[in-house]
Amino acid sequence: MAAVGARLLLRPGRRWFSETAPGAPSPPVSPLYPPVVASITAKSKVAKSRRLQRFNQRVHEAATVEEKLRLYGKLQRPKYTVYPQTFALNADRWYRSFTKTVLVPGMPPRAAAAKPLVAAAGATPEGGRAPEPAAEAPEAPESAAGAAPSLDMSELRSLACDAILQESFYQNKKRPLLYRDQDHTPGPFLTQLVSTLAAFLSGRNPLLAASSLDLNPEVNYYWHHGEEVVVHGHRKGRVDPVRFQIDDNPHLQIRVPKQLPEVVPLESDLGDVPVIDHKPSKLPLFKKQYENKVFIGSKVADPCCYGHTQFHLLPDKLKRERFIRERLEDQIEVVYRSNGIASLFAWTAAQAMYQGFWSEADVTRPFVSQAVVTDGKYFAFFCYQLNTLALTAETIKNNPRKNICWGTDSKPLYDVVEDGNVKGFNDEVLLQLVRFLLNRPKEL
Amino acid sequence: LFPGVRQAQWLTKTKLVEGLPPAVQGIVDNPALGLQELEERAKHAVSHARLWDTTEVAPRREKYCPALFENLIHICRLMSGKYPSLTKRMLARNCRIAAMWERESILLQVRGLSGILMNSMTPIPPVASKEEILATKEHVLETFYPIAPTIDLQEVNVYKELNDTGQCFRDGYPYSHPHTLFFLESANVRTDRFRPEQLRAKMLMFAFGNALAKAKALHRNDPKVLEQPIVVQSIGTDGQLFQFMVFQLNTTDLVSNDGIKNLVWIDSDQNLYERAQCVPEIKKRVVTKPAGISGFQPDTFKKFLALYLHGTV
């Protein structure tokens, strides 16, 4: 009886009851009544899910990428600020769990598509050409397309040594300011080295010739991962996603108009993601509420919207001597790794968002970028492949994909600079850097 | 108060020639360089620096002026794929210059941060021919009687005469020839920036200072006419207007007012673009100025590139 009475009172366009089961069996042949769905404004779990669905629908239907980004980051709530360069202990495990990243030590195996070897070892055949004689032939940029003249290591070494010597020895500079050692010598050295190497190698890598170099750009990314209960305040007791924001300032970055090729297929599983049971604030990580920014270094209208390589300079606060003094030698590598993982995740994810993907619309192709983290003398190389953006509590449930980060340990480029000579120059580090810069899609 | 370049000319014993020297103009007009394709990239460079470089709506001059300079230099540097000798260049930032000379019994010196300096291993060949240099003998320097030529200059008691350490590098530096000086007027407030005339004067003084320091490093301190004149170029900008200058030091004999003079070619007030709108300007619901870069002048970029390539092409 009561049910019949209730049905009679249900007129189209009016909601008498605030709670109705979603997808309640509507009368089979009834164009008269609107679908019986959950309310939007009620304080109930089902109404919340309906609001979320409407929000997702709005973002899906956004006309331009700028509009999508604006809607994605419209609601401001307290979020954890993740710093890529941090002194927190074992930060790289925490960062891997936040970003669902697998760390694979060493560099990814590359197909011998376009990797000319060092002069001493002989040239790799490219396109079936016979290897050139392993002489110290100077680079010949006007050689026909397809030939791979061997890289002149001595030329590259002299470029690098010139950069080191100019900044540390030849130029008369004033003394470095307090705690600003990194701006005094390693900063300008890195800028000089990268710009001259990029110019030198642009003849072989057409992607570099169309690239854009940013000095001190800004890279931001905002995402949700996991769930928590709000602890205090007027929203106490509600279940909220855990929000993170990375605001990064790499020292230098190279952006290109075409994407780097994928290293491994999209669905590959190369390891495990660490699971940490504690709250992120135990890292320590602190919450703040401010603008939710997603930025790769320039706005969406820029044609160079994919990333190639980033260069990070570790600040004075995180120098090696400090860790050795406090007997935390194992944390030195952690600093490099956490910087690489966090910065590259933010950059690749922001690039993916610039292409219109987000956590509800996961990426259909992997996004690859590279990074070099250095403190002026020691270099560590990282390569990151973003396979998934779906890290929120609902989307992560059925998502088998993981992001992958390859990383090396930090190695010195040279031992010491004395009297205008660079002692103990390490060719492998330079070669790895050159390989990074020469990375390009297979078509080019 | 005073047209700065005329005063600078008297102080450095220089003759002014309008426009760029024919050698540089030749590079600009040379079609083999492929300057047409670079136009597109230059436009992107300008758009990036002026429109896209920031999370805010519009970047400020302190940000976009250096960003524009870096982008243009990046494009120029990438030409070293075509011209391998371009790799023999090195940029030095924040270098301090100190040069001292005597002009009709007045001791003058140039000191300070001279912006960004580009050095190369090989010197730029002299731009003016021998006849032109000799012809400067006839040229009479403008005097500003009754105003003393040292007006608006700071009088300082110098206890140590620093001249040959004018180079901010030690001996044995492989990139020993100053090639081009870059001046970026990037203060946000207009009164903190130099006006174009003053900027040109500053460029002239610093180019002269660098050339003089190089000459003294090569020939010690004897004042004489140089057989191999030293050429130093200079580019100054505030993010939109560009001033190009090529300075040739013919003589270090600066005490007297006659004899051979130095030469300077100035190409002033070249606009790279007319306007850069970040947000379209709408008056009475009609878009009067669309967003983007309007009025892009590729010639200015070509001159920039020509000055960069000068000496190696």
Side-chain angles (χ1 to χ4, degrees), chain A residues 304-316:
Chain A
C304 290
C305 51
Y306 296 103
H308 190 268
T309 319
Q310 267 182 344
F311 292 85
H312 295 267
L313 193 62
L314 290 182
D316 228 24

Side-chain angles (χ1 to χ4, degrees), chain B residues 43-313:
Chain B
K43 224 169 165 184
H44 281 317
V46 173
S47 311
H48 172 257
R50 277 308 299 262
L51 305 174
W52 302 327
D53 195 21
T54 169
T55 46
E56 300 149 21
V57 177
R60 327 193 89 204
R61 197 181 290 262
E62 284 161 340
K63 197 141 189 268
Y64 77 67
C65 191
L68 179 61
F69 167 70
E70 292 298 332
N71 288 342
L72 292 177
I73 284 284
H74 184 59
I75 301 180
C76 296
R77 255 201 298 255
L78 289 178
M79 296 284 281
S80 54
K82 262 200 212 163
Y83 304 103
S85 44
L86 277 183
T87 50
K88 305 267 182 286
R89 300 267 184 95
M90 193 67 85
L91 264 183
R93 291 158 203 266
N94 294 333
C95 46
R96 316 193 127 253
I97 184 72
M100 212 205 65
W101 69 101
E102 200 178 319
R103 201 68 189 89
E104 280 202 358
S105 75
I106 311 171
L107 271 180
L108 300 161
Q109 68 168 358
V110 164
R111 288 240 197 155
L113 289 174
S114 75
I116 307 176
L117 173 64
M118 183 160 70
N119 296 306
S120 77
M121 281 194 186
T122 50
I124 311 181
V127 177
S129 56
K130 291 267 186 261
E131 298 80 29
E132 285 181 7
I133 302 177
L134 287 173
T136 58
K137 259 196 195 169
E138 323 301 325
H139 177 75
V140 172
L141 286 175
E142 272 183 86
T143 48
F144 323 112
Y145 188 80
I147 306 180
T150 50
I151 194 173
D152 283 343
L153 292 179
Q154 200 183 16
E155 193 176 309
V156 161
N157 285 326
V158 177
Y159 301 107
K160 262 200 305 196
E161 287 179 359
L162 273 182
N163 43 24
D164 52 354
T165 53
Q167 289 285 37
C168 55
F169 304 100
R170 296 200 210 183
D171 299 321
Y173 185 49
Y175 300 89
S176 53
H177 298 270
H179 187 272
T180 314
L181 281 163
F182 298 97
F183 294 93
L184 304 177
E185 295 297 316
S186 48
N188 265 337
V189 182
R190 181 150 51 98
T191 39
D192 289 341
R193 295 198 291 271
F194 275 72
R195 287 197 304 278
E197 182 68 35
Q198 297 166 333
L199 180 61
R200 288 198 285 277
K202 176 164 108 160
M203 283 159 62
L204 179 53
M205 296 306 290
F206 276 107
F208 174 76
N210 269 304
L212 190 67
K214 181 76 198 150
K216 292 201 173 160
L218 286 178
H219 306 290
R220 291 291 93 196
N221 264 336
D222 332 313
K224 60 177 197 181
V225 177
L226 306 169
E227 303 98 33
Q228 270 296 81
I230 300 182
V231 179
V232 174
Q233 299 174 143
S234 174
I235 302 182
T237 175
D238 66 348
Q240 188 163 349
L241 272 180
F242 278 75
Q243 327 281 344
F244 300 108
M245 175 186 300
V246 181
F247 177 80
Q248 174 166 320
L249 186 76
N250 295 323
T251 167
T252 48
D253 175 17
L254 299 160
V255 183
S256 62
N257 242 339
D258 15 287
I260 300 217
K261 321 264 182 319
N262 306 315
L263 283 164
V264 70
W265 290 260
I266 299 191
D267 203 6
S268 46
D269 291 336
Q270 305 287 312
N271 241 334
L272 185 56
Y273 52 92
E274 284 303 322
R275 170 180 275 111
Q277 285 283 127
C278 294
V279 187
E281 189 175 309
I282 302 180
K283 290 221 153 94
K284 296 193 192 172
R285 307 232 198 115
V286 171
V287 177
T288 44
K289 294 174 195 156
I293 306 281
S294 64
F296 180 70
Q297 309 266 4
D299 291 325
T300 317
F301 175 67
K302 284 187 196 164
K303 288 180 190 163
F304 187 96
L305 185 58
L307 280 180
Y308 184 88
L309 294 174
H310 188 209
T312 52
V313 169

